[in-house]
Structure formats: C-alpha cells, structure tokens
Amino acid sequence: MSRISHSALRRNFRELLASNTSFETASVFDPMSARIAADLGFEVGILGGSVASLQVLAAPDFALITLSEFVEQATRIGRVAQLPFIADADHGYGNALNVMRTVEELERAGVAALTIEDTLLPAQFGRKSTDLISIEEGIGKVKAALEARVDPELSIIARTNAGVLPVQDIIERTQAYENAGADGICMVGIKDFDHLEQISEKLTVPLMLVTYGNPKLSDSERLAKLGVRIVVAGHAAYFASIKATYDSLRAQRKVTHSTENLSATELTHTYTLPESYVAWAEEFMDVKE
C-alpha cells in the first residue's frame, strides 16, 4: 500500500475546505477503521473526543481523557492514515498554553486538522456542560494554536456551540475567531437551515457542522451553498462496534436474558457507569466555601 505524507494529507484537507462541496466525515477510532474509511472512498475522517474516551477509558464524555492518551490514539491512526483526519481536541486540554502543547503533540501525531472549542471544560460542579468561556479567552486559544503549529498546512478550526446563545452572540463569537485567524469555524447546536443561514452569511471562512444526523440539515447541496465543507453526522461506526462486540461475546457465552436486545446507546450507558461518575462528583466536588 502506498504511503501519503502527513503534509500531503493536510494539503488534501485544505483542498476540501477550498472546494464547493460538503463532505461527510467517517468516524475513525483506530488504524483499522482509518484504513477501511479510506478504502471505501471517504474524503476525510474524524477522531472524536467522546469516542476516544469510550475506547481508551470506557468512561463517559466528562472530559476525563488526558492529552497524552488522546495523542497516543491519534498517533496510531496517523501512522497508517490514507485520508486526512480531524482531531476533536476538546478545549485544548486547558488554557491557551495547554492549547499550544495540544497543537504540538497532535501535529506530530499526523492529524490534518484539529478543533478547539470554547466550552468551559471540565464542567464545574453544578454548571451546565455547555457553558462557554469568554470570547477573549476563546480568541487567545485560537491565536495560541496558530502560534504553536509548525506545518502551515495544519488547519486550526475554532468550535463553538450555536445552540446555547442568541444568534447575534454566536455571530460575534464566530467572527472574532475568524478575525483571529482560524482556518474554519465548527459549530454544534445548529437547529435548521434558517438558523445556519443567519450565521453563515456573516462569515467567509469554511464551516464545519456537527449535526448528529439532524434531518433538518440533511441537504448536502444546500449545506455546501452556505459554506459548509465538513459534516460530522455522528460516530455510528464506533457504536456499531460496541453492539457487535456485545452480541458476539454474548452468543459465545450462550447468555440469554433481558439484555440481549439492548441498543448500542443503552450498552454504552450500561458499561461507562455514568451514574457512578455523577455520584462521585456530588461527593467530592460539591465543595462549600
């Protein structure tokens, strides 16, 4: 199998951003899935932070995975990748200085692009997991990421949650990140095309949407016309692997009980112990000053 350099893959990704087409990502979570995605003709993949947490820790997406653990998984994928892949780098694993370290490590791992979000992570006890940091801190993270990259082909994508603030506030944020030099803007929480259009018409950089399969955003041609180049519909491939593993081992063990028809989502909930983490948070983080 021919090999493609990381820099060439990054150039390929920038060509996707510069095109007039909207591309759906493949969820790649290990070397095998990356090879499968490339062989099936996917133009781009993504290593999700939530998926990495599940695969490495069997833990819910509570910002528990460390940078080194995430980079290890990205490096395994980068070693064999024949398609450009995006790293969901969460909040950069800390402040702007941590963001610089995150970019350095993920660039060496071989990612073509990475997203840095402005969510307040890890969520403080009693606060919503969708709270956002200030625009000023978000700008600082974008600028820090740009300063840290060595290969100018590496794309830095600023991510925000468009579902938690009024449209005008989201426009202000995304314009600020664009002006700070972000190569693209990633948004989660877009409700429908009207919502998207109000924001996209104020931006000039390529857009990336995390839609989770929202049927109100299923028209790829319309997405492309509004500047959307990358679409993350979800991580169905990984969740299918959880279901397949459970069903295979259950059949091997000849276990028949009420759990045999559990969905991938229900299995994930069962084996990541979210109730335990919530209880621990209440016990150890509900600090009275």
Side-chain angles (χ1 to χ4, degrees):
M1 181 180 292
S2 61
R3 300 178 64 185
I4 307 175
S5 72
H6 294 155
S7 189
L9 289 172
R10 290 168 186 152
R11 287 194 296 274
N12 290 349
F13 182 76
R14 285 189 173 268
E15 289 173 1
L16 299 182
L17 293 183
S19 73
N20 295 316
T21 304
S22 178
F23 299 94
E24 188 168 316
T25 60
S27 180
V28 295
F29 45 87
D30 61 9
M32 183 69 77
S33 62
R35 281 181 169 164
I36 291 171
D39 185 61
L40 291 175
F42 278 90
E43 296 84 3
V44 60
I46 185 168
L47 172 60
S50 59
V51 169
S53 183
L54 289 171
Q55 188 172 38
V56 176
L57 303 176
D61 189 21
F62 290 172
L64 297 171
I65 193 168
T66 64
L67 172 61
S68 59
E69 290 167 329
F70 186 76
V71 169
E72 284 177 3
Q73 198 65 1
T75 300
R76 295 184 184 104
I77 297 170
R79 182 178 61 82
V80 305
Q82 300 290 299
L83 81 171
F85 74 101
I86 306 162
D88 169 11
D90 286 341
H91 64 324
Y93 297 91
N95 60 30
L97 299 183
N98 297 108
V99 167
M100 297 183 78
R101 171 78 190 283
T102 296
V103 172
E104 291 169 357
E105 297 293 343
L106 287 174
E107 181 173 339
R108 279 195 287 267
V111 306
L114 57 90
T115 59
I116 298 291
E117 64 185 83
D118 58 6
T119 311
L120 179 63
L121 294 174
Q124 297 176 9
F125 184 77
R127 299 281 296 273
K128 295 180 296 183
S129 61
T130 52
D131 286 341
L132 306 184
I133 59 177
S134 69
I135 294 178
E136 292 74 19
E137 185 176 358
I139 291 171
K141 287 191 171 188
V142 172
K143 290 183 175 179
L146 295 169
E147 175 67 24
R149 72 178 173 191
V150 175
D151 186 352
E153 300 289 357
L154 176 69
S155 294
I156 304 297
I157 301 174
R159 170 174 162 165
T160 194
N161 190 324
V164 299
L165 293 175
V167 169
Q168 192 55 46
D169 290 348
I170 294 299
I171 291 172
E172 182 183 358
R173 276 183 178 264
T174 52
Q175 285 182 330
Y177 300 155
E178 176 180 317
N179 293 336
D183 297 301
I185 299 294
C186 174
M187 290 182 286
V188 64
I190 293 291
K191 301 177 181 65
D192 50 34
F193 278 106
D194 179 63
H195 190 199
L196 173 61
E197 188 169 3
Q198 292 179 66
I199 301 170
S200 65
E201 67 180 6
K202 302 296 184 180
L203 300 170
T204 61
V205 292
L207 303 181
M208 172 178 168
L209 287 191
V210 181
T211 67
Y212 299 118
N214 181 353
K216 295 180 180 180
L217 294 167
S218 61
D219 187 336
S220 60
E221 291 187 5
R222 192 173 177 186
L223 288 173
K225 289 180 180 178
L226 293 175
V228 176
R229 299 293 170 259
I230 307 295
V231 175
V232 182
H235 301 286
Y238 182 67
F239 287 101
S241 74
I242 293 175
K243 175 65 172 171
T245 298
Y246 178 82
D247 288 344
S248 176
L249 292 176
R250 182 180 55 78
Q252 180 182 343
R253 195 63 178 174
K254 298 180 175 61
V255 172
T256 56
H257 48 55
S258 60
T259 63
E260 63 184 281
N261 293 319
L262 288 178
S263 67
T265 300
E266 291 168 329
L267 288 168
T268 301
H269 186 89
T270 297
Y271 292 113
T272 57
L273 313 178
E275 289 85 0
S276 295
Y277 284 99
V278 170
W280 292 328
E282 291 176 348
E283 182 177 357
F284 306 127
M285 294 169 61
D286 186 12
V287 179
K288 301 295 190 297
E289 296 184 2

